[in-house]
Amino acid sequence: MDKFLKRFMIAVLSVSVLAACGNGNGNSDNLIDTGNVTEGSWVGYNGDDVEDEEMVTSELIPYDPDAGYEINRSSYVSYFNGDEFIETKLYGEDLPLTIDPVEEADGIKVSFNQYNSDAIELVEK
């Protein structure tokens, strides 16, 4: 009976470790489509595209100011109302964190370093 219990515990621990290792990749809840980004620029503080070969910017992501959104990597989040630019905020400390709500926004773009493409996630909480 002891051998069975030991094997069972090892199996449970192994499955737990493998599940924890897999949580960071391929998150289907990720709102950023890293396969569909604009390369070579980021949305600056005035709403203009700022050229930078190491940066990429997401497509416009639908945004609900009453929902919470969590970002896990340093990034610039630009808020829009339709096509009208509102503001860009830099998020880079104490990550992951919930981005600030902007009441008049209905869309956002996330600009980030291309080297974070495999790991960056924006999820609705």
Side-chain angles (χ1 to χ4, degrees):
M1 189 67 125
D2 286 327
K3 282 186 178 182
F4 174 76
L5 185 59
K6 286 180 184 178
R7 288 181 181 169
F8 177 75
M9 292 302 293
I10 290 171
V12 168
L13 287 172
S14 297
V15 168
S16 298
V17 168
L18 289 173
C21 290
N23 282 345
N25 295 327
N27 184 350
S28 63
D29 295 330
N30 190 2
L31 300 174
I32 300 172
D33 179 1
T34 56
N36 191 21
V37 295
T38 302
E39 298 179 356
S41 67
W42 61 283
V43 180
Y45 293 107
N46 295 322
D48 299 328
D49 289 338
V50 178
E51 289 186 33
D52 185 329
E53 65 185 34
E54 293 186 355
M55 297 294 287
V56 297
T57 301
S58 73
E59 295 294 316
L60 191 66
I61 300 166
Y63 171 79
D64 176 2
D66 295 326
Y69 296 87
E70 185 176 273
I71 192 83
N72 71 337
R73 292 287 190 266
S74 180
S75 56
Y76 297 91
V77 177
S78 303
Y79 298 84
F80 293 84
N81 185 331
D83 291 334
E84 182 182 331
F85 171 77
I86 299 170
E87 67 180 316
T88 293
K89 294 185 177 190
L90 173 61
Y91 297 96
E93 296 183 18
D94 300 322
L95 297 163
L97 58 78
T98 301
I99 66 172
D100 297 334
V102 174
E103 292 302 318
E104 60 273 18
D106 63 7
I108 58 175
K109 290 183 179 182
V110 180
S111 302
F112 52 95
N113 190 293
Q114 65 181 348
Y115 302 112
N116 285 325
S117 291
D118 290 340
I120 194 162
E121 291 183 353
L122 174 72
V123 295
E124 187 174 343
K125 291 294 179 182

